[in-house]
């Protein structure tokens, strides 16, 4: 039932009660008998009447026996007159106690006014309720500026780091935020600058929202969520107003966490996309920037924002003092997957022999959300089979169900793909490990990150300002290591290496044209590169050399690449056994940390070569 009809019914009911009350009020007398005027005259003659009270034209007579009768007299005729005309003698009439009442104020007026007033009241009430209804709608229109900010994370809902499996690095980075929120004074007293905005970057389902809530839960502070996509409404200016409101609410509740989900919905590069752009989005984005800049030392709000597209964010959003910290949430590797499964197995009755490790091993590429979903599917399936506990078979069966699910198509990693990725990353890592001047391998993983199937991270031993040609050559060879490893192992190459090749080519080009590292062309730079600051990222290169030089540059670039390619091929062919061992280990463990990798290579006693 709509609230309008409800109100209307209420009004009608109210009027009904009022009228009932009034009617009972007016007929309060205990129903005296009605008699004619001549009857009453006869009674007076007979001396049966004790008293008569007159109210307007109504006569109420009380008889000797105490009973009451009523009747009416003619208008405009006095009471004595009336009875005289009816033949009552003046003497007898004198014995009757006649009192003339003024019509009692209240009931008189009510009797007069109510009949006219009632419909008016009714109409007025109708209007009142209709207006209230309309005002409700109008209020909604005005409350567009309010943020629909949601507060959660208290009591049972509270989530802590314990509920978040894996994501070790991300948690480590966020510990500081937790510390600050727990004890802001400690940090403020020492004069530390606290981060205001932290960007959580990760694919859908990797636990960004969960982690943000866990930070608030750990610190035990209020957690406010707004979704950036909700900001963008029909009316220009609404998003900005909502942003203002959201920040205000969070500040009032500080220390607190304000979580902006899907910030890419408003945070795209401004001016991107021709033809006007989206005013509303830009205004909202500007407002977020204004709010962040408006934080003072006393502000105890930390803004966490989530996105899976950090590449499209407006650079202004990432400047110092704004979202200047990036916390990357990777897809979970096999250990993390097992841990996530364990978390979601909590509170479910599991079969004794349920092998979560096996499930983890069979679900590469699954996100945390996929795994949570898998666990739930297994429970549903077990229930459907009238089991009291979640069985191992159901767990394994659910893997396929999740893989075939609508969102995951195309993200599935086949066994073959996993093998190719393992050899590819193994190639990078081994070349890096076998070349002099190369930075040590920090981590090798075949868990996909961004567009890449896997990644090999190497970090310089110490912070370096200058890089030498030899180091660059080592980099080049390492970049090609993936491509070469695939080619040697499978006699085929995949698209997975395309990014490597692009980077290698561009590096080789820089060596020749920027750093003067080519023997043939000598110490000269070629091309004027202008960084167009106002466009953010765009670069243009002005060609200031002849076609002849251009050809030489191309030759030199390909000669650099050629040398690196040969070096990588040489290493990987001679150490094919090591490559096999790395790949095998990667398939098994998916991620190798620096120490594990070093331990794996140790027995092979690799001699370093120079490119
Ligand atoms: P995102 O915000 O990155 O899209 P969510 O935080 O909404 O992902 O994660 C969705 C669900 O997946 C969570 O509610 C949780 O049940 C599960 N999940 C994701 N990552 C993890 C994790 N690391 N540990 C435990 N559960 C996780
Ligand atoms: Mg989310
Ligand atoms: Zn690669």
């Amino acid at each position: 039932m709509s609230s309008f009809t409800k109100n209307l019914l209420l009004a009608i009911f109210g009027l009904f009660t009022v009228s009932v009350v009034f009617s009972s009020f007016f007929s309060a007398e205990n129903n005296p008998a009605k008699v004619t005027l001549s009857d009453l005259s006869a009674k007076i003659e007979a001396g049966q009447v004790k008293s008569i009270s007159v109210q307007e034209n109504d006569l109420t007579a009380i008889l000797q026996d105490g009973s009451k009768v009523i009747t009416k007299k003619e208008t405009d005729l006095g009471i004595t007159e009336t009875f005289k005309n009816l033949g009552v003698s003046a003497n007898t009439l004198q014995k009757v106690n006649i009192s003339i009442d003024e019509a009692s104020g209240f009931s008189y007026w009510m009797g007069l006014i109510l009949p006219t007033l009632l419909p008016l009241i009714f109409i007025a009430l109708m209007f009142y309720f209709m207006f209230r209804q309309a005002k409700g709608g109008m209020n909604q229109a005005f409350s567009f500026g309010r943020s629909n900010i949601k507060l959660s994370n208290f009591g049972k809902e509270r989530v802590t780091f314990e509920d978040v499996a894996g994501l070790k690095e991300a948690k480590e980075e966020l510990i500081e935020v937790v510390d600050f929120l727990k004890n802001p004074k400690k940090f403020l007293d020492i004069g530390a600058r606290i981060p205001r905005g932290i960007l959580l970057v990760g694919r859908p389902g990797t636990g960004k929202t969960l982690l943000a809530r866990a930070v608030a839960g750990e610190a035990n502070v209020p957690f406010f969520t707004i979704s950036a996509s909700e900001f963008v409404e029909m009316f220009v200016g609404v998003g900005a107003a909502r942003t203002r409101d959201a920040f205000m609410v969070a500040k009032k509740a500080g220390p607190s966490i304000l979580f902006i989900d899907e910030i890419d919905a408003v945070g795209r590069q401004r001016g991107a996309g021709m033809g006007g752009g989206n005013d509303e989005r830009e205004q909202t984005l500007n407002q977020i920037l204004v709010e962040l800049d408006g934080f003072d030392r006393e502000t105890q709000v930390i803004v966490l924002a989530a996105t899976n597209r950090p590449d499209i964010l407006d650079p202004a959003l990432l400047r110092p003092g704004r979202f200047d910290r990036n916390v990357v949430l990777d897809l979970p590797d096999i250990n993390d997957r097992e841990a996530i499964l364990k978390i979601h197995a909590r509170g479910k009755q599991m079969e004794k022999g349920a092998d979560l490790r096996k499930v983890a091993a069979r679900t590469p590429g699954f996100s945390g959300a996929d795994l949570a979903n898998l666990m739930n599917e297994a429970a549903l399936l077990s229930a459907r089979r009238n089991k009291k506990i979640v069985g191992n078979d159901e767990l394994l069966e659910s893997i396929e169900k999740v893989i075939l699910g609508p969102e995951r198509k195309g993200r599935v990693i086949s066994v073959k793909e996993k093998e190719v990725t393992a050899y590819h990353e193994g190639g990078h890592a081994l070349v890096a490990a076998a070349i002099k001047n190369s930075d040590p391998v920090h981590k090798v993983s075949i868990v996909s990150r961004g567009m890449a199937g896997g990644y090999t991270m190497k970090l310089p031993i110490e912070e370096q300002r200058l890089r030498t040609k030899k180091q660059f050559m080592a980099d080049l060879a390492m970049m090609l290591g993936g491509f070469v490893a695939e080619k040697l192992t499978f006699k085929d190459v995949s698209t997975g290496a395309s990014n490597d090749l692009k980077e290698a080519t561009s590096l080789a080009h820089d060596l020749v044209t920027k750093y003067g590292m080519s023997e043939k062309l000598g110490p000269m730079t070629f091309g004027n590169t202008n960084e167009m600051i106002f466009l953010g990222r765009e670069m243009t290169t002005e060609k200031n050399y002849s076609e002849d030089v251009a050809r030489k540059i191309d030759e030199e670039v390909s000669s650099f690449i050629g040398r690196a390619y040969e070096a990588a091929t040489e290493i990987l062919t001679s150490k094919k056994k090591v490559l096999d061992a790395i790949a095998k280990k990667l398939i098994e463990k998916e991620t190798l940390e620096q120490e594990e990798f070093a331990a794996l290579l140790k027995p092979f006693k690799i001699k370093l070569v120079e490119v």
Side-chain angles (χ1 to χ4, degrees), residues 73-91:
K73 72 172 177 63
E74 281 172 72
T75 331
D76 302 336
L77 217 54
I79 176 90
T80 21
E81 213 92 332
T82 309
F83 286 118
K84 231 180 237 164
N85 289 352
L86 285 167
V88 179
S89 71
N91 263 357

PDB file of all heavy atoms in Angstrom, residues 73-91:
ATOM      1  N   LYS A  73     -41.402  23.367  21.097  1.00  0.00           N
ATOM      2  CA  LYS A  73     -42.446  24.390  21.004  1.00  0.00           C
ATOM      3  C   LYS A  73     -42.271  25.137  19.702  1.00  0.00           C
ATOM      4  O   LYS A  73     -41.268  24.974  18.998  1.00  0.00           O
ATOM      5  CB  LYS A  73     -42.354  25.335  22.197  1.00  0.00           C
ATOM      6  CG  LYS A  73     -41.148  26.285  22.176  1.00  0.00           C
ATOM      7  CD  LYS A  73     -41.247  27.288  23.286  1.00  0.00           C
ATOM      8  CE  LYS A  73     -40.025  28.215  23.360  1.00  0.00           C
ATOM      9  NZ  LYS A  73     -39.835  29.055  22.185  1.00  0.00           N
ATOM     10  N   GLU A  74     -43.274  25.979  19.412  1.00  0.00           N
ATOM     11  CA  GLU A  74     -43.159  26.796  18.210  1.00  0.00           C
ATOM     12  C   GLU A  74     -42.037  27.809  18.390  1.00  0.00           C
ATOM     13  O   GLU A  74     -41.809  28.285  19.490  1.00  0.00           O
ATOM     14  CB  GLU A  74     -44.450  27.581  17.983  1.00  0.00           C
ATOM     15  CG  GLU A  74     -45.566  26.788  17.379  1.00  0.00           C
ATOM     16  CD  GLU A  74     -46.839  27.604  17.396  1.00  0.00           C
ATOM     17  OE1 GLU A  74     -46.931  28.560  16.601  1.00  0.00           O
ATOM     18  OE2 GLU A  74     -47.712  27.295  18.213  1.00  0.00           O
ATOM     19  N   THR A  75     -41.411  28.134  17.334  1.00  0.00           N
ATOM     20  CA  THR A  75     -40.417  29.191  17.401  1.00  0.00           C
ATOM     21  C   THR A  75     -41.146  30.506  17.632  1.00  0.00           C
ATOM     22  O   THR A  75     -42.326  30.614  17.348  1.00  0.00           O
ATOM     23  CB  THR A  75     -39.628  29.266  16.072  1.00  0.00           C
ATOM     24  OG1 THR A  75     -39.590  27.991  15.498  1.00  0.00           O
ATOM     25  CG2 THR A  75     -38.223  29.806  16.261  1.00  0.00           C
ATOM     26  N   ASP A  76     -40.445  31.512  18.082  1.00  0.00           N
ATOM     27  CA  ASP A  76     -40.986  32.860  18.232  1.00  0.00           C
ATOM     28  C   ASP A  76     -42.121  32.983  19.247  1.00  0.00           C
ATOM     29  O   ASP A  76     -42.703  34.043  19.405  1.00  0.00           O
ATOM     30  CB  ASP A  76     -41.543  33.412  16.893  1.00  0.00           C
ATOM     31  CG  ASP A  76     -40.491  33.427  15.831  1.00  0.00           C
ATOM     32  OD1 ASP A  76     -39.291  33.473  16.218  1.00  0.00           O
ATOM     33  OD2 ASP A  76     -40.829  33.379  14.641  1.00  0.00           O
ATOM     34  N   LEU A  77     -42.456  31.893  19.904  1.00  0.00           N
ATOM     35  CA  LEU A  77     -43.536  32.001  20.868  1.00  0.00           C
ATOM     36  C   LEU A  77     -42.977  31.682  22.246  1.00  0.00           C
ATOM     37  O   LEU A  77     -42.325  30.667  22.416  1.00  0.00           O
ATOM     38  CB  LEU A  77     -44.659  31.017  20.492  1.00  0.00           C
ATOM     39  CG  LEU A  77     -46.086  31.501  20.740  1.00  0.00           C
ATOM     40  CD1 LEU A  77     -46.344  32.859  20.062  1.00  0.00           C
ATOM     41  CD2 LEU A  77     -47.086  30.474  20.223  1.00  0.00           C
ATOM     42  N   GLY A  78     -43.227  32.559  23.199  1.00  0.00           N
ATOM     43  CA  GLY A  78     -42.726  32.330  24.555  1.00  0.00           C
ATOM     44  C   GLY A  78     -43.317  31.072  25.153  1.00  0.00           C
ATOM     45  O   GLY A  78     -44.350  30.573  24.691  1.00  0.00           O
ATOM     46  N   ILE A  79     -42.726  30.588  26.230  1.00  0.00           N
ATOM     47  CA  ILE A  79     -43.151  29.319  26.801  1.00  0.00           C
ATOM     48  C   ILE A  79     -44.530  29.425  27.463  1.00  0.00           C
ATOM     49  O   ILE A  79     -45.406  28.589  27.264  1.00  0.00           O
ATOM     50  CB  ILE A  79     -42.080  28.789  27.781  1.00  0.00           C
ATOM     51  CG1 ILE A  79     -42.535  27.496  28.492  1.00  0.00           C
ATOM     52  CG2 ILE A  79     -41.693  29.792  28.841  1.00  0.00           C
ATOM     53  CD1 ILE A  79     -42.164  26.302  27.748  1.00  0.00           C
ATOM     54  N   THR A  80     -44.690  30.541  28.237  1.00  0.00           N
ATOM     55  CA  THR A  80     -45.991  30.715  28.890  1.00  0.00           C
ATOM     56  C   THR A  80     -47.081  30.871  27.849  1.00  0.00           C
ATOM     57  O   THR A  80     -48.149  30.282  27.934  1.00  0.00           O
ATOM     58  CB  THR A  80     -45.971  31.966  29.778  1.00  0.00           C
ATOM     59  OG1 THR A  80     -44.913  32.824  29.341  1.00  0.00           O
ATOM     60  CG2 THR A  80     -45.743  31.608  31.231  1.00  0.00           C
ATOM     61  N   GLU A  81     -46.797  31.676  26.847  1.00  0.00           N
ATOM     62  CA  GLU A  81     -47.715  31.897  25.737  1.00  0.00           C
ATOM     63  C   GLU A  81     -48.166  30.567  25.154  1.00  0.00           C
ATOM     64  O   GLU A  81     -49.360  30.304  24.993  1.00  0.00           O
ATOM     65  CB  GLU A  81     -46.965  32.682  24.641  1.00  0.00           C
ATOM     66  CG  GLU A  81     -47.828  33.616  23.856  1.00  0.00           C
ATOM     67  CD  GLU A  81     -47.831  35.014  24.478  1.00  0.00           C
ATOM     68  OE1 GLU A  81     -47.640  35.136  25.718  1.00  0.00           O
ATOM     69  OE2 GLU A  81     -48.007  35.957  23.730  1.00  0.00           O
ATOM     70  N   THR A  82     -47.182  29.738  24.886  1.00  0.00           N
ATOM     71  CA  THR A  82     -47.454  28.471  24.237  1.00  0.00           C
ATOM     72  C   THR A  82     -48.455  27.654  25.040  1.00  0.00           C
ATOM     73  O   THR A  82     -49.433  27.146  24.508  1.00  0.00           O
ATOM     74  CB  THR A  82     -46.156  27.665  24.086  1.00  0.00           C
ATOM     75  OG1 THR A  82     -45.171  28.499  23.484  1.00  0.00           O
ATOM     76  CG2 THR A  82     -46.359  26.426  23.257  1.00  0.00           C
ATOM     77  N   PHE A  83     -48.144  27.532  26.354  1.00  0.00           N
ATOM     78  CA  PHE A  83     -49.016  26.697  27.162  1.00  0.00           C
ATOM     79  C   PHE A  83     -50.396  27.314  27.358  1.00  0.00           C
ATOM     80  O   PHE A  83     -51.397  26.609  27.409  1.00  0.00           O
ATOM     81  CB  PHE A  83     -48.355  26.379  28.508  1.00  0.00           C
ATOM     82  CG  PHE A  83     -47.248  25.375  28.367  1.00  0.00           C
ATOM     83  CD1 PHE A  83     -45.945  25.674  28.687  1.00  0.00           C
ATOM     84  CD2 PHE A  83     -47.560  24.095  27.890  1.00  0.00           C
ATOM     85  CE1 PHE A  83     -44.949  24.757  28.551  1.00  0.00           C
ATOM     86  CE2 PHE A  83     -46.549  23.163  27.755  1.00  0.00           C
ATOM     87  CZ  PHE A  83     -45.236  23.482  28.073  1.00  0.00           C
ATOM     88  N   LYS A  84     -50.399  28.690  27.435  1.00  0.00           N
ATOM     89  CA  LYS A  84     -51.680  29.370  27.549  1.00  0.00           C
ATOM     90  C   LYS A  84     -52.545  29.024  26.371  1.00  0.00           C
ATOM     91  O   LYS A  84     -53.709  28.659  26.494  1.00  0.00           O
ATOM     92  CB  LYS A  84     -51.459  30.891  27.607  1.00  0.00           C
ATOM     93  CG  LYS A  84     -52.193  31.540  28.793  1.00  0.00           C
ATOM     94  CD  LYS A  84     -51.929  33.032  28.802  1.00  0.00           C
ATOM     95  CE  LYS A  84     -51.307  33.433  30.131  1.00  0.00           C
ATOM     96  NZ  LYS A  84     -50.707  34.775  30.031  1.00  0.00           N
ATOM     97  N   ASN A  85     -51.918  29.145  25.173  1.00  0.00           N
ATOM     98  CA  ASN A  85     -52.668  28.843  23.953  1.00  0.00           C
ATOM     99  C   ASN A  85     -53.209  27.414  23.984  1.00  0.00           C
ATOM    100  O   ASN A  85     -54.218  27.112  23.373  1.00  0.00           O
ATOM    101  CB  ASN A  85     -51.778  28.987  22.715  1.00  0.00           C
ATOM    102  CG  ASN A  85     -51.460  30.443  22.440  1.00  0.00           C
ATOM    103  OD1 ASN A  85     -52.038  31.339  23.099  1.00  0.00           O
ATOM    104  ND2 ASN A  85     -50.547  30.696  21.513  1.00  0.00           N
ATOM    105  N   LEU A  86     -52.504  26.552  24.680  1.00  0.00           N
ATOM    106  CA  LEU A  86     -52.941  25.161  24.717  1.00  0.00           C
ATOM    107  C   LEU A  86     -53.929  24.904  25.861  1.00  0.00           C
ATOM    108  O   LEU A  86     -54.281  23.771  26.168  1.00  0.00           O
ATOM    109  CB  LEU A  86     -51.739  24.233  24.854  1.00  0.00           C
ATOM    110  CG  LEU A  86     -50.926  24.082  23.553  1.00  0.00           C
ATOM    111  CD1 LEU A  86     -49.595  23.419  23.837  1.00  0.00           C
ATOM    112  CD2 LEU A  86     -51.713  23.305  22.507  1.00  0.00           C
ATOM    113  N   GLY A  87     -54.275  26.009  26.540  1.00  0.00           N
ATOM    114  CA  GLY A  87     -55.331  25.903  27.548  1.00  0.00           C
ATOM    115  C   GLY A  87     -54.852  25.526  28.928  1.00  0.00           C
ATOM    116  O   GLY A  87     -55.620  25.041  29.753  1.00  0.00           O
ATOM    117  N   VAL A  88     -53.577  25.759  29.212  1.00  0.00           N
ATOM    118  CA  VAL A  88     -53.093  25.501  30.569  1.00  0.00           C
ATOM    119  C   VAL A  88     -53.340  26.773  31.397  1.00  0.00           C
ATOM    120  O   VAL A  88     -52.949  27.854  30.964  1.00  0.00           O
ATOM    121  CB  VAL A  88     -51.596  25.147  30.560  1.00  0.00           C
ATOM    122  CG1 VAL A  88     -51.100  24.907  31.992  1.00  0.00           C
ATOM    123  CG2 VAL A  88     -51.342  23.949  29.684  1.00  0.00           C
ATOM    124  N   SER A  89     -53.917  26.637  32.527  1.00  0.00           N
ATOM    125  CA  SER A  89     -54.215  27.839  33.298  1.00  0.00           C
ATOM    126  C   SER A  89     -52.953  28.387  33.949  1.00  0.00           C
ATOM    127  O   SER A  89     -52.009  27.625  34.244  1.00  0.00           O
ATOM    128  CB  SER A  89     -55.251  27.513  34.388  1.00  0.00           C
ATOM    129  OG  SER A  89     -54.653  26.723  35.387  1.00  0.00           O
ATOM    130  N   ALA A  90     -52.949  29.697  34.133  1.00  0.00           N
ATOM    131  CA  ALA A  90     -51.749  30.353  34.671  1.00  0.00           C
ATOM    132  C   ALA A  90     -51.400  29.775  36.041  1.00  0.00           C
ATOM    133  O   ALA A  90     -50.221  29.622  36.373  1.00  0.00           O
ATOM    134  CB  ALA A  90     -51.983  31.862  34.761  1.00  0.00           C
ATOM    135  N   ASN A  91     -52.395  29.418  36.791  1.00  0.00           N
ATOM    136  CA  ASN A  91     -52.176  28.886  38.133  1.00  0.00           C
ATOM    137  C   ASN A  91     -51.377  27.581  38.129  1.00  0.00           C
ATOM    138  O   ASN A  91     -50.422  27.411  38.879  1.00  0.00           O
ATOM    139  CB  ASN A  91     -53.524  28.615  38.804  1.00  0.00           C
ATOM    140  CG  ASN A  91     -53.915  29.776  39.702  1.00  0.00           C
ATOM    141  OD1 ASN A  91     -53.130  30.731  39.840  1.00  0.00           O
ATOM    142  ND2 ASN A  91     -55.081  29.717  40.284  1.00  0.00           N
TER     143      ASN A  91
END
